[in-house]
Amino acid sequence: MNNKMFKSAVLSTLAMTASSWSTVVSSETFDNTQWNSVLEQANGQTVYFHAWGGSQEINRYLQWAGKELKDQYGVNFNHVKVTDIAETGSRLLAEKAAGKHDGGSVDMVWINGENFKSMKDNALLYGPFVSNLPNWQYVDKSLPVDSDFSEPTEGLEAPWGVGQLVFIHDKQTLNNPPMSYMEMLNYAKAFPNKLSYPKPPEFHGTSFLKSLLIDLTKNDPALAKPVSDADFQGVTKPLWDYLDEFHKVAWRGGKQFPAGTAETIQLLDDGQIDLAITFNPNAVYSAQANGNLSDTTTAYAMNSGALSNIHFLAIPWNANAKAGALVAINFLLSPEAQSRKGDISIWGDPSVLNKQYLTGSAAKTQQFKSVAEPHPSWQSALEQEWLKRYGS
């Protein structure tokens, strides 16, 4: 059989497997024959995984995962580091516009929120596939694993971890941190040049804007609905009024902002700012273990709670290595991989599995009171308005 015929046969087999998987089955009744076929096709494939690359801890974890996938399944796993997954969404849209419906350049993506909705709305995702993964049986179904920023996932993305927006401070230099956003503003005025946040549209910066808006508006009901011009101006006015005041006394006079969470942690460690920001409550432990923060640092959430969501893994509709991506996602949902990911000395990302399947510190991580994300349409509107007001 020549290469062209072999490739056609493999794609045909995978298409039949995917078609048969479209019927949702329970974790107890998944077809071993189908999964064995996926494993055979995955062996030797190269998976290009587009994911944020701004954390040394996460990058090292993915290097470990890549070695395990190679050793256990013969899958080559390449982490393509991106600063904003929206860039990957634009690439996929361009491939679709060009009629590239197979052999795509992206095999897996780390997404949630607005990026998921955009990819879903533009039919850029493969599936449904999630409930047929062998390791789906370990997932904690009490978590909102079937909804992403209020958007139904419909089996198009697999839950990977739980994120919460929290702050890190050093107890030696700041024993009594601000417990509300109004206290944060007062602290910034009392101690100018000591607080900041990442520059939107960087993920953590935009998350800060959303959390602040929810708090200032007492979670206005409009935030749970698609944004409208009529709602946006009135609902967001308290946010811009707050930031106008905050920036005057923020780090570097609000004229410059950290590039992301890693820079806020570095600035905290250098003593330039008093609060770092992260979407992982356990990030402080891995940063301490790697010598990036002192042992006197700790994470906390505002009294009102922490903006919370689940982050997911998905496969583009035209992925070149669909079988390899399925195997990679299934592995990343295994108790072994989730326990390592949740280890506070490695990454510390809270797991989506039932705790009975986890080992070590991953089984003991605590979560803060949860504050739900607004409708994903608010994200882009907030970013555009922020850039118009403060981006120059």
Side-chain angles (χ1 to χ4, degrees):
M1 182 182 290
N2 62 36
N3 287 340
K4 186 174 181 181
M5 292 175 62
F6 177 76
K7 180 180 179 183
S8 176
V10 168
L11 290 174
S12 176
T13 302
L14 183 55
M16 288 188 291
T17 301
S19 175
S20 64
W21 276 24
S22 64
T23 302
V24 176
V25 295
S26 71
S27 58
E28 290 79 19
T29 60
F30 72 87
D31 191 326
N32 279 304
T33 301
Q34 291 173 327
W35 185 248
N36 286 336
S37 175
V38 171
L39 291 174
E40 290 174 6
Q41 294 166 53
N43 189 10
Q45 287 189 343
T46 297
V47 173
Y48 290 95
F49 176 38
H50 282 229
W52 181 61
S55 164
Q56 293 180 358
E57 291 82 11
I58 296 174
N59 295 344
R60 280 195 288 266
Y61 172 78
L62 291 175
Q63 289 171 2
W64 168 83
K67 183 179 185 304
E68 293 300 311
L69 283 164
K70 178 67 173 178
D71 291 346
Q72 295 185 37
Y73 303 104
V75 172
N76 301 301
F77 188 71
N78 288 346
H79 176 196
V80 179
K81 300 179 181 68
V82 296
T83 55
D84 186 346
I85 204 67
E87 300 166 9
T88 300
S90 297
R91 173 187 288 208
L92 293 173
L93 275 172
E95 290 185 358
K96 187 168 188 178
K100 192 176 182 64
H101 297 301
D102 55 47
S105 62
V106 184
D107 299 299
M108 260 177 71
V109 290
W110 180 15
I111 57 171
N112 70 357
E114 181 191 31
N115 291 309
F116 168 66
K117 180 169 173 53
S118 175
M119 290 187 192
K120 179 185 175 185
D121 288 349
N122 287 287
L124 300 179
L125 298 176
Y126 163 80
F129 68 90
V130 175
S131 63
N132 295 289
L133 295 173
N135 288 333
W136 174 250
Q137 62 185 305
Y138 304 119
V139 172
D140 181 357
K141 311 305 191 299
S142 70
L143 294 170
V145 294
D146 57 357
S147 178
D148 186 349
F149 286 56
S150 77
E151 181 71 24
T153 59
E154 298 179 355
L156 298 174
E157 56 176 4
W160 192 25
V162 181
Q164 293 194 304
L165 188 73
V166 297
F167 300 91
I168 302 173
H169 69 103
D170 191 324
K171 291 177 287 186
Q172 280 194 338
T173 56
L174 176 57
N175 189 44
N176 188 27
M179 298 303 297
S180 72
Y181 287 104
M182 290 312 300
E183 285 187 12
M184 178 180 285
L185 179 58
N186 291 334
Y187 184 89
K189 290 178 177 178
F191 301 95
N193 203 42
K194 298 297 286 186
L195 295 181
S196 189
Y197 60 94
K199 182 179 181 179
E202 194 277 337
F203 171 76
H204 297 85
T206 301
S207 296
F208 175 80
L209 296 184
K210 290 187 288 186
S211 180
L212 180 55
L213 178 62
I214 290 169
D215 187 79
L216 294 174
T217 63
K218 296 181 170 54
N219 204 1
D220 191 301
L223 296 173
K225 305 171 185 176
V227 67
S228 67
D229 290 339
D231 284 334
F232 186 79
Q233 297 303 322
V235 172
T236 61
K237 186 178 185 304
L239 173 66
W240 312 124
D241 290 346
Y242 181 104
L243 292 178
D244 286 345
E245 287 192 66
F246 183 76
H247 290 170
K248 293 175 185 176
V249 291
W251 179 70
R252 299 198 172 172
K255 303 298 183 184
Q256 184 178 343
F257 297 86
T261 180
E263 187 174 353
T264 68
I265 288 175
Q266 182 63 58
L267 291 169
L268 174 65
D269 193 51
D270 291 344
Q272 291 195 50
I273 63 175
D274 288 342
L275 291 179
I277 192 170
T278 177
F279 221 93
N280 176 5
N282 298 316
V284 63
Y285 301 115
S286 55
Q288 289 170 349
N290 291 308
N292 295 327
L293 282 175
S294 73
D295 292 340
T296 54
T297 52
T298 188
Y300 79 101
M302 295 297 183
N303 284 334
S304 57
L307 187 72
S308 304
N309 63 50
I310 290 177
H311 49 92
F312 296 83
L313 301 170
I315 304 170
W317 95 104
N318 68 342
N320 186 56
K322 287 189 178 76
L326 287 167
V327 170
I329 292 175
N330 188 64
F331 171 75
L332 292 172
L333 279 179
S334 68
E336 174 192 7
Q338 287 276 308
S339 293
R340 186 177 181 88
K341 181 169 70 75
D343 188 320
I344 60 176
S345 67
I346 295 175
W347 177 356
D349 187 48
S351 177
V352 294
L353 303 191
N354 282 299
K355 288 191 176 181
Q356 69 192 81
Y357 302 116
L358 300 170
T359 58
S361 59
K364 303 172 184 176
T365 56
Q366 294 183 346
Q367 295 180 25
F368 295 95
K369 176 184 174 184
S370 177
V371 174
E373 288 272 4
H375 188 274
S377 60
W378 284 84
Q379 178 166 321
S380 178
L382 286 171
E383 290 170 346
Q384 291 175 24
E385 184 66 17
W386 190 95
L387 289 169
K388 185 170 72 174
R389 289 172 178 262
Y390 313 115
S392 59

